[in-house]
Amino acid sequence: MLPLIGTLSATITAIAEVSIHGDLYADAELEPQPAPGQLRLAGSRTRVRIPLHACESGRFPAANDRVEIELLMGQVTRIRVL
């Protein structure tokens, strides 16, 4: 489950670009990375929709990229590839 507000480190396991009324998004499946000292839970993958304007590099990340995601009210506001 995604945090409502905060930063999340994750690995993208799958990603697909979509267009909604001409705006570009990517539907991504993530495997969150546990914080230091926390256990990784099996099956902890989650999905998120990423708007292109939130991508720091100006392009969507690719599968197997490690990313840092900033969230506000459960929505991606910024994503950068690590």
Side-chain angles (χ1 to χ4, degrees), residues 4-5 7 9-10 15-17 25 31 33 35 43 47 51 54 66 75:
L4 195 58
I5 298 172
T7 302
S9 293
I15 191 161
E17 292 184 25
Y25 295 86
E31 186 166 326
Q33 301 301 310
R47 292 185 176 185
R66 292 203 58 218
Q75 303 298 309

Side-chain angles (χ1 to χ4, degrees), residues 19-31:
S19 175
I20 301 173
H21 303 293
D23 292 328
L24 296 177
Y25 295 86
D27 288 337
E29 184 175 280
L30 309 172
E31 186 166 326

Side-chain angles (χ1 to χ4, degrees), residues 24-25 49-61 68-70 75-80:
L24 296 177
Y25 295 86
R49 179 162 284 160
I50 304 165
L52 181 60
H53 68 265
C55 298
E56 193 173 80
S57 66
R59 64 169 185 83
F60 292 118
E68 182 179 85
I69 301 169
E70 289 183 11
Q75 303 298 309
V76 176
T77 57
R78 185 173 137 303
I79 182 168
R80 76 179 175 100

Side-chain angles (χ1 to χ4, degrees), residues 2 8 10-14 28-32 44-48 50 67 69 79:
L2 293 173
L8 174 73
T11 300
I12 295 184
T13 56
E29 184 175 280
L30 309 172
E31 186 166 326
S44 63
R45 291 185 180 170
T46 189
R47 292 185 176 185
V48 67
I50 304 165
V67 295
I69 301 169
I79 182 168

